[in-house]
Amino acid sequence: MLKIEMNSLIKLFNFPKIKTIIFSILFFLGLLFPAPKSFAEKKLKIAIIPFTNLSGKTENDWIGAGFSETMVTALSNLKNVQITERFLMNQVLKEISFQQSGFIDDRSLVKVGKLTGANIIISGSFQIANTEIVVNSRFIDLEKGTVENGSGMYIRGEVAKIFDLEEKLAQQFNQKFSLIPTEQEDKNMKSVIYSTNSVKANKLYLKARGRYMNGGFNGKKEAIDILKEAINLDPNYALALALLGEIEIEYFNTNKIFNEVFRVNQNVDSFYKDGLNHIKKAVSLAPGSFEVNRSMAKILILDKKEKEAQLFLNKALAIKSDDVSSIIIQAFSNKENQLDYINKALEIDKFNYEVYFAYGRYYLYYNEKPDYEKAVSNLLKSVELNPYSWEANMQLVQAYMRAKDFTSAIAWAERMILMEKDVIGYIVAASAYLGSGNLEKIKELYIEIDKMVDTPFVKTILVGFYIRDNDYKSAFTLAKNGLEKFLMIRIIVPYL
């Protein structure tokens, strides 16, 4: 009765909305004396730091996040650059205490480069006076491990025309590093920057992405609600529609598993239907968007429609052939060459948590024989790079349990609870303690689970514990308040 099947909880894996690409050019101007490389010939890996708000008003902080997010998404459309993925960037900024101060010194800039593998850093600040905003952008070349080549550039404009300023910022970067986007790349970049004309909708989109990235399981529902507000303001906001659809499908799959585990019948089908419709609309609005096509591919693969998914994945890869997330999606839709695809992703970006998450899943489920040691080591690396991925944390607990290392499984499950006190963490921890036979701890965890979810299944488990402990009063009270009469009589009467 107490056994929870962890495999049910692990059915769904997803890959956050992450954009990383790389372009390598070998350009020879002579057979014997090649010319020195210019910026345009470098392999550019860029770390983008949120712009610092110098205005002193916290309600304007979102603008700094907006500049960095736009640069991440827009520059990802260039084939000769690779952007440090968001989760790693968040973790690095926490390590250098950027969130607390909002400022970053030269020593910390060098540290950012070492921790992310970036050779270029984009940072900056902004100040608002009435309706005018002044932006100071800084593009820093870390090739020599210093920031001596950093250069400041100023942009001035109206807050109401902030998207025009974002376009100028991207143009400044291209000019600084002698990058010449193709006509299609320029079109894709502008489609990102001008995906909405509503500043308020853009602000909500940024807020939702933050909750999705840092909010764990609970953050997904919050992000859905925020994105719906954004789309109410702008029904044709393609980026918001794509992100909303992706999160809605993830939320549907997670809750479907939740229903199976707890024997409840909450209707979550609307999340799937709405999610698919939102992504379809995003595709119709931005058919050439890399991010939108990748979102559709991921959803179709989760829905086991591999052939349809491949069409959209091919479109995404045609825009960015070296995108790590797309290559990993390709890996799990092609079982024959899975390891080859994951190895290719590692060659592109050894700092990407998704790569190690994919290795962990491969050695746990798809290898000819499970290799728990390799699964654990890769999942540990994945969690190190992105501690807030509950999927990676959950897989790590599962790997320890399959290896019968229940001590480590319990320790990691407890860490999940400390990280975010949501029901998934408690379920995973209960499963880990089940393997060790610690029924008292399982009882404690189910008492907490009962406070979060009101289901007969959980209450039945707790009634069983109370009866085992001869605590018939608690058993009867719980059964009376939470179970149907026939089930209450069936459980309690034999012990009276």
Side-chain angles (χ1 to χ4, degrees):
M1 179 174 68
L2 296 175
K3 183 177 180 180
I4 293 178
E5 183 60 41
M6 275 295 294
N7 285 336
S8 295
L9 295 171
I10 311 298
K11 284 180 183 176
L12 172 64
F13 64 91
N14 64 79
F15 302 101
K17 319 332 152 270
I18 301 161
K19 292 172 283 298
T20 50
I21 55 173
I22 193 170
F23 180 81
S24 179
I25 302 175
L26 296 176
F27 185 55
F28 296 94
L29 295 179
L31 294 176
L32 297 177
F33 302 102
K37 285 188 177 181
S38 67
F39 284 126
E41 296 172 289
K42 287 182 181 179
K43 180 191 291 185
L44 299 183
K45 181 168 183 183
I46 306 167
I48 302 176
I49 298 171
F51 282 38
T52 302
N53 175 13
L54 300 179
S55 303
K57 295 181 179 179
T58 56
E59 62 265 28
N60 293 327
D61 286 350
W62 70 273
I63 294 175
F67 280 123
S68 61
E69 175 61 28
T70 298
M71 291 294 284
V72 166
T73 312
L75 295 179
S76 291
N77 285 281
L78 298 176
K79 291 185 177 180
N80 54 344
V81 301
Q82 179 188 358
I83 306 296
T84 300
E85 59 104 7
R86 292 181 178 90
F87 291 104
L88 174 60
M89 200 66 236
N90 279 356
Q91 185 64 14
V92 170
L93 292 177
K94 286 175 183 176
E95 184 165 332
I96 63 173
S97 301
F98 177 81
Q99 278 83 352
Q100 285 75 27
S101 66
F103 293 92
I104 184 167
D105 57 25
D106 288 356
R107 182 179 297 178
S108 295
L109 285 172
V110 174
K111 187 174 183 180
V112 169
K114 289 180 179 179
L115 291 173
T116 62
N119 53 18
I120 301 295
I121 292 180
I122 298 176
S123 68
S125 61
F126 67 94
Q127 194 156 5
I128 296 175
N130 298 321
T131 61
E132 190 176 65
I133 180 171
V134 178
V135 183
N136 174 24
S137 59
R138 195 177 182 201
F139 307 132
I140 302 151
D141 176 24
L142 289 177
E143 187 99 318
K144 298 178 181 178
T146 68
V147 295
E148 60 188 11
N149 294 322
S151 60
M153 298 184 182
Y154 291 88
I155 307 173
R156 184 185 296 268
E158 296 177 29
V159 176
K161 296 181 179 180
I162 197 166
F163 304 124
D164 294 341
L165 297 178
E166 290 174 347
E167 182 183 5
K168 288 180 182 178
L169 187 61
Q171 289 172 348
Q172 280 188 352
F173 177 83
N174 292 339
Q175 291 169 5
K176 167 68 178 175
F177 293 101
S178 304
L179 301 175
I180 303 175
T182 64
E183 183 178 346
Q184 186 60 51
E185 286 174 340
D186 187 60
K187 183 178 178 181
N188 291 341
M189 289 176 68
K190 288 180 178 177
S191 72
V192 168
I193 295 168
Y194 295 102
S195 184
T196 181
N197 291 319
S198 169
V199 174
K200 289 183 178 179
N202 181 241
K203 180 178 179 180
L204 289 167
Y205 169 78
L206 294 168
K207 182 180 178 181
R209 182 172 281 284
R211 288 302 299 140
Y212 174 54
M213 290 176 62
N214 299 313
F217 176 68
N218 291 333
K220 290 184 179 181
K221 182 62 173 67
E222 293 177 33
I224 288 172
D225 293 337
I226 297 168
L227 285 167
K228 285 181 177 179
E229 289 185 57
I231 291 166
N232 282 337
L233 292 171
D234 182 357
N236 294 324
Y237 193 172
L239 285 179
L241 285 163
L243 182 60
L244 174 59
E246 198 168 324
I247 299 174
E248 284 174 324
I249 299 293
E250 291 177 8
Y251 192 77
F252 162 78
N253 279 291
T254 303
N255 278 279
K256 185 178 178 182
I257 295 168
F258 182 87
N259 287 352
E260 293 174 2
V261 172
F262 289 114
R263 315 290 199 272
V264 294
N265 295 313
Q266 61 173 336
N267 186 5
V268 293
D269 291 345
S270 62
F271 285 98
Y272 179 84
K273 183 179 178 181
D274 291 346
L276 199 56
N277 287 336
H278 286 138
I279 292 183
K280 284 181 177 179
K281 185 175 180 180
V283 170
S284 69
L285 290 167
S289 166
F290 161 77
E291 193 163 347
V292 167
N293 280 289
R294 186 181 64 183
S295 293
M296 178 61 91
K298 187 161 92 171
I299 296 311
L300 290 170
I301 285 175
L302 288 173
D303 204 23
K304 298 182 179 179
K305 296 179 180 178
E306 285 85 0
K307 289 185 179 180
E308 287 182 61
Q310 195 63 50
L311 296 174
F312 291 96
L313 193 58
N314 288 343
K315 289 181 182 179
L317 288 168
I319 299 169
K320 296 194 321 187
S321 60
D322 289 339
D323 176 67
V324 169
S325 295
S326 299
I327 292 169
I328 289 173
I329 294 172
Q330 189 92 297
F332 287 100
S333 64
N334 188 325
K335 295 182 180 179
E336 292 183 2
N337 301 309
Q338 276 183 325
L339 198 56
D340 292 338
Y341 282 115
I342 301 173
N343 288 338
K344 180 180 178 181
L346 180 65
E347 290 176 7
I348 294 169
D349 190 358
K350 65 180 180 179
F351 293 93
N352 194 309
Y353 91 98
E354 288 186 82
V355 175
Y356 301 97
F357 180 60
Y359 274 125
R361 283 187 54 81
Y362 174 79
Y363 287 116
L364 199 57
Y365 301 113
Y366 300 100
N367 199 30
E368 186 176 348
K369 183 180 179 181
D371 189 328
Y372 300 123
E373 185 176 346
K374 287 185 178 179
V376 166
S377 64
N378 279 286
L379 289 168
L380 281 170
K381 181 66 174 177
S382 179
V383 171
E384 177 188 340
L385 291 169
N386 180 13
Y388 296 95
S389 170
W390 64 267
E391 292 90 351
N393 279 281
M394 199 158 53
Q395 291 281 19
L396 182 56
V397 175
Q398 173 75 344
Y400 278 130
M401 289 180 66
R402 290 195 171 203
K404 301 190 184 304
D405 183 357
F406 296 111
T407 301
S408 297
I410 288 168
W412 214 263
E414 291 284 359
R415 180 182 177 276
M416 286 184 67
I417 293 174
L418 291 173
M419 184 173 66
E420 183 177 1
K421 295 184 180 298
D422 63 30
V423 66
I424 297 294
Y426 283 95
I427 294 169
V428 173
S431 302
Y433 278 107
L434 181 64
S436 68
N438 190 337
L439 297 181
E440 283 304 314
K441 189 62 180 180
I442 295 172
K443 177 184 173 182
E444 290 178 20
L445 291 167
Y446 266 90
I447 289 173
E448 294 301 318
I449 292 171
D450 185 52
K451 295 175 183 177
M452 292 182 249
V453 294
D454 184 19
T455 73
F457 179 73
V458 173
K459 294 186 187 304
T460 302
I461 289 177
L462 280 176
V463 167
F465 273 119
Y466 289 134
I467 291 172
R468 183 204 64 165
D469 297 338
N470 297 321
D471 185 356
Y472 300 116
K473 182 178 179 180
S474 296
F476 183 79
T477 301
L478 186 63
K480 181 180 178 181
N481 294 334
L483 300 178
E484 296 178 10
K485 287 184 179 180
F486 80 91
L487 185 57
M488 180 186 74
I489 294 170
R490 183 178 176 186
I491 293 173
I492 298 295
V493 169
Y495 294 91
L496 298 180

